[in-house]
Structures are given as C-alpha cells and as structure tokens.
Amino acid sequence: MVEPKVPTRPEALELLHRFNESDSLRKHAYAVEGVMRYMARKRGQDEDKWGIIGLIHDLDYEKFPAQHCVKTKEMLEEEGWPAEYVRAAVSHGWGICSDIEPQTDLEKALYALDELTGLVVTTALIRPSKSVLDVQVKSVKNKWKDKRFAAGVDRAVIEKGAAMLGITLDELIDETIKGMQEVAEAIGLKGNPT
Ligand SMILES: [Fe+2]
Ligand SMILES: [Fe+2]
C-alpha cells in the first residue's frame, strides 16, 4: 500500500476555504491552528502537523452541521489524507459527535482548546480595545462560572481536556491566550492599541 502523502498547510487552507465560506468559521479555524502551533512548539512536537489538524478540524461544519465529524472523516479520506490526521480531527468531537477518544497529546490538546478559544474571543470582545492582546488568564477565569457569558461554551469539556493533558486549567487558558495572540490579526482580534 502506498503511504498517503503528508498534507501541507496550503492544501489544508485550500480545503478550509473550499468548504467554509463563513468568516467566523474561518477565523475559528485560524484561532485553533494558532493555539495548536503554540502548544506543539512548547512540547517539542511537530508544529505543522498540529497546526494543519487544527485548521481542518471543523471542515464539515458549514455544509453538514447535523453530521459534524462524520462528514469530515469522509471528506478527508476522499482527499487521501493520512489516517492519523483524520482520526485526530474527528476526536475533537468525542462524546458529542464522535466516539473516538483523544489519545495522543495532539488529540487531547485539540479537544481541550477548541471550546476555550470561543471563551477567549468573547472575553476579548468585551474589552474596550477588543483585542486578544489584552486578555489575561484572570479575565477568562472571572467569567468561568458566569453561565450566561459565552453560554455555548461547555466549561466541563475544557476542564476535562486540561485534566487529560495533565495541566491545570490556568495553564491551558494561558497557552490558549498566547497561541491566539500570535494570530491576533488573522482572527480579527488585534484591536486598535493606542
Ligand atoms: Fe467541532
Ligand atoms: Fe472547533
């Protein structure tokens, strides 16, 4: 059997754009990619692989929201993507739209940070600067128990993800903020620093 070739970032980006026209879905993909890259680098892992999987993890969401994860698997397989990448992408929906449990650090990181990026976005948007560059761990923690704030964000999934990764919630929030700060411009959260 021929080994499938390793997908490149331009290929991942082309796929993302082909199937996701929504600006907010694209920005979510860039945010998740940014944090995955940051976390990979910090752990001495393959930054490109982590980032690429982050970029396409919600590939099917715009066109097939009711078949989330299931369709991503089909789409990536059709593109000839390696099983490792497909599995990792699908595992982010563990217990929600997939029964693939995150096993590797890459998969656990994706599972842990996906929802958290949404909470960081909302936290940035209520700041006068509307900039992720101003967001601190404590600003996110302050909103943790306020269930009406970013109500769609499942805090329990994030807490479970941090525990799976073997880091504290504060460490996970810190890494997520820093990863998103690296892509602040791409995700539209650079604000207007004075
Ligand atoms: Fe998802
Ligand atoms: Fe996502």
XYZ file of all heavy atoms in Angstrom, residues 57-58 68 92 114, ligand 1:
47
model
N -10.172 20.917 11.526
C -10.919 20.053 12.456
C -12.436 20.179 12.303
O -13.154 19.230 12.557
C -10.492 20.313 13.909
C -11.069 21.549 14.512
N -10.613 22.813 14.203
C -12.097 21.721 15.389
C -11.328 23.696 14.871
N -12.238 23.078 15.598
N -12.917 21.363 11.876
C -14.368 21.565 11.709
C -14.750 21.631 10.224
O -15.750 22.277 9.876
C -14.800 22.880 12.384
C -15.000 22.741 13.891
O -15.289 21.621 14.356
O -14.871 23.758 14.595
N -21.752 16.583 11.793
C -20.422 17.066 12.165
C -19.529 15.893 12.583
O -19.992 14.980 13.245
C -20.568 18.088 13.303
C -19.286 18.757 13.677
N -18.324 19.074 12.754
C -18.795 19.172 14.885
C -17.309 19.659 13.374
N -17.567 19.717 14.671
N -11.870 15.478 18.179
C -12.220 16.695 18.941
C -13.696 16.675 19.347
O -14.098 17.383 20.263
C -11.890 17.970 18.156
C -12.980 18.435 17.244
N -13.091 18.035 15.935
C -14.042 19.260 17.447
C -14.149 18.594 15.387
N -14.749 19.337 16.272
N -10.399 23.672 21.827
C -11.398 24.040 20.815
C -12.474 24.980 21.388
O -12.674 26.094 20.916
C -12.020 22.750 20.259
C -13.049 22.987 19.185
O -13.001 24.032 18.521
O -13.910 22.099 19.001
Fe -16.287 20.850 16.087
